[in-house]
Amino acid sequence: MMIGALIWGIMGDRLGRRRTLLTALASNGIFGVIAAFMPTYSLLMLTRFCSSVGIGGSLPIVFTFYSEFLVRKNRGKHLSFLLVFWALGGLFVAVLAWGIIPRSGATIMDTKRLQFGRWRKFLLICSIPAIVSAVGVSFLPESPRFLLEMGRNSEAIYVYKQIFSWNNAVKSGEEYQLTELEVPGKRPTVHVSIPSNRGILREMLRSVENCWNNISGVFGSPHTFLTLFLLVIWTTTSFGFYGISIWLHEYTKVIEDNDFESRTIKQANLIVEDKNLNTSIENTHFTNLSFINVRFVQTLINHCTFYNCSFTNCTFSNIRTSRTYFRNCEFIQTEFLDTDLYPNKFQACSFNSSHFFNTKGGCDIDFDVNFKLAELFYENLFAQLAILPGTLISSFILDRIGRIQTLGVSLVLTGLSVGFLW
């Protein structure tokens, strides 16, 4: 997203807000659709990275584009309203995930192919809003302020006339009175002198120069302190928001894992003979056990460890495992049929006259059947719901009590809320 913000930010000052926003949204939507059909993890991450570059470009451009159509006295309120739709988008994703994505590891293990197909549907549907938004942006006019800054005054006046006609559609006979416009405080841009026969290089250097001028402008006097102050606030706020989002889920998972481990069953120094085991085996540590003529059939072996065990004339048929390992075990005349027991499941084990048949394909990464996405959905849902009141309140008070005061109150409340985490 940082890369996208930088790339599309430069393009926004060169090509215009509308065209840049259109390409950023299209990039997000198109690569989001492509990601839904990627067959491997690496390709999925690559396409999601490209989609995120588009998201990073959309965020700064959409605020700039929208604010340049607003009058100063109502700008804060309307920009705050714009953030409400960010929260609504989060609610849409949370509800969509709840309805499509499987909510537990056990559900995925039951019908793995079907459930992973649901992830693809989820990615595909999440790409639709970006594509629809790109189509909608194509019908919007260019920012008149950008047109004025580029010296395209007649086009800017035409856009203002369009806006005036839309706002006064019910009033017949009203006409736009201004015939000449000028951007207040506009500073002339000094370009690098480059021979005309190097047009492409000249445009590239001019873009880099404009980008540098913009960056140096906000960091230069008299904006140095304000820029650094806002950078610190934005960095700490983003760190806190995403940090809390990640920490809360990990914290609840650690609590659940500790509770699960506290209920671990331990069996040692036993002989299991002539048994048919067709029920789930869960959260058990086996040490120094001898399995003789034992059939494991259609069984889920979940979070189990077999240490220094021996298996003689045993059969593993249609077995699913999760976080299950065999350490220092011996297998004699044992058959593995339709299992997901990959080589990484066996550590320092020996096999004598033992065979594997039709090992299940798929990803060799060990899958944790105990994970529960339902809790993650709840956390994201409530997090997005919590954003809505803040954005609505700020939209009403921002232009009344001032930007600095609103920001200060928000930071104080954020700091006080951190105390509850202790």
Side-chain angles (χ1 to χ4, degrees), residues 61-310:
I61 296 298
V62 73
F63 281 98
T64 303
F65 186 49
Y66 185 51
S67 64
E68 290 178 350
F69 283 93
L70 301 173
V71 295
R72 180 176 298 179
K73 66 177 182 178
N74 294 327
R75 190 174 298 162
K77 178 176 68 175
H78 288 289
L79 288 178
S80 297
F81 276 134
L82 188 61
L83 283 174
V84 172
F85 291 93
W86 175 276
L88 291 177
L91 288 175
F92 167 75
V93 171
V95 173
L96 187 67
W98 177 266
I100 296 179
I101 297 177
R103 303 169 195 171
S104 67
T107 307
I108 294 179
M109 292 290 286
D110 288 338
T111 52
K112 184 179 294 186
R113 179 175 298 180
L114 174 63
Q115 300 300 342
F116 278 116
R118 293 188 179 185
W119 285 88
R120 298 183 184 277
K121 294 177 183 178
F122 175 73
L123 291 175
L124 193 62
I125 296 175
C126 285
S127 303
I128 294 177
I131 297 175
V132 173
S133 299
V135 174
V137 169
S138 65
F139 292 97
L140 296 178
E142 180 56 88
S143 164
R145 183 178 180 89
F146 168 77
L147 295 174
L148 289 173
E149 290 179 345
M150 299 300 292
R152 297 156 61 180
N153 294 9
S154 58
E155 296 179 53
I157 292 177
Y158 177 75
V159 172
Y160 278 125
K161 286 183 178 180
Q162 279 187 308
I163 298 173
F164 182 82
S165 63
W166 295 335
N167 293 338
N168 297 274
V170 296
K171 299 179 181 180
S172 59
E174 294 284 345
E175 294 184 2
Y176 191 69
Q177 301 297 325
L178 295 181
T179 58
E180 185 175 352
L181 297 170
E182 183 179 354
V183 179
K186 179 180 177 182
R187 294 176 297 178
T189 303
V190 179
H191 300 294
V192 180
S193 178
I194 300 177
S196 58
N197 59 349
R198 301 173 67 183
I200 298 178
L201 179 60
R202 178 175 58 185
E203 290 299 319
M204 292 176 61
L205 290 179
R206 183 173 296 177
S207 298
V208 173
E209 178 199 14
N210 289 337
C211 177
W212 175 253
N213 288 337
N214 292 335
I215 295 176
S216 60
V218 296
F219 281 97
S221 179
H223 309 295
T224 305
F225 175 77
L226 180 60
T227 299
L228 294 176
F229 181 69
L230 292 177
L231 278 177
V232 171
I233 292 177
W234 185 252
T235 301
T236 53
T237 302
S238 300
F239 180 80
F241 177 78
Y242 291 107
I244 287 293
S245 301
I246 297 173
W247 172 84
L248 183 60
H249 175 64
E250 290 297 323
Y251 181 69
T252 55
K253 190 175 185 302
V254 167
I255 294 176
E256 292 174 353
D257 290 344
N258 291 338
D259 178 67
F260 185 77
E261 291 178 2
S262 67
R263 294 182 281 107
T264 300
I265 301 172
K266 296 182 179 180
Q267 296 186 7
N269 304 316
L270 298 175
I271 297 177
V272 182
E273 189 173 3
D274 298 327
K275 294 283 187 180
N276 286 330
L277 302 179
N278 55 8
T279 58
S280 297
I281 305 173
E282 183 177 82
N283 198 18
T284 305
H285 289 180
F286 301 94
T287 304
N288 296 326
L289 265 71
S290 295
F291 296 88
I292 303 173
N293 295 325
V294 176
R295 289 174 51 85
F296 299 85
V297 181
Q298 294 184 348
T299 301
L300 171 63
I301 307 177
N302 177 31
H303 282 253
C304 294
T305 302
F306 296 85
Y307 179 74
N308 201 26
C309 297
S310 64

Side-chain angles (χ1 to χ4, degrees), residues 367-379:
F367 184 79
D368 189 359
V369 73
N370 286 347
F371 87 93
K372 298 179 178 63
L373 280 178
E375 297 175 357
L376 182 61
F377 295 156
Y378 280 130
E379 293 167 8

Side-chain angles (χ1 to χ4, degrees), residues 386-397:
I387 294 175
L388 279 174
T391 53
L392 289 173
I393 293 173
S394 65
S395 65
F396 287 110
I397 68 174

Side-chain angles (χ1 to χ4, degrees), residues 38-49:
M38 288 297 99
T40 63
Y41 178 78
S42 57
L43 290 177
L44 174 63
M45 290 295 100
L46 177 61
T47 50
R48 291 304 300 169
F49 173 82

Side-chain angles (χ1 to χ4, degrees), residues 2-23:
M2 180 181 67
I3 296 174
L6 181 62
I7 294 175
W8 264 276
I10 297 174
M11 292 174 59
D13 290 333
R14 293 290 299 161
L15 303 178
R17 321 298 194 221
R18 173 182 168 275
R19 189 187 304 178
T20 305
L21 181 59
L22 182 62
T23 55

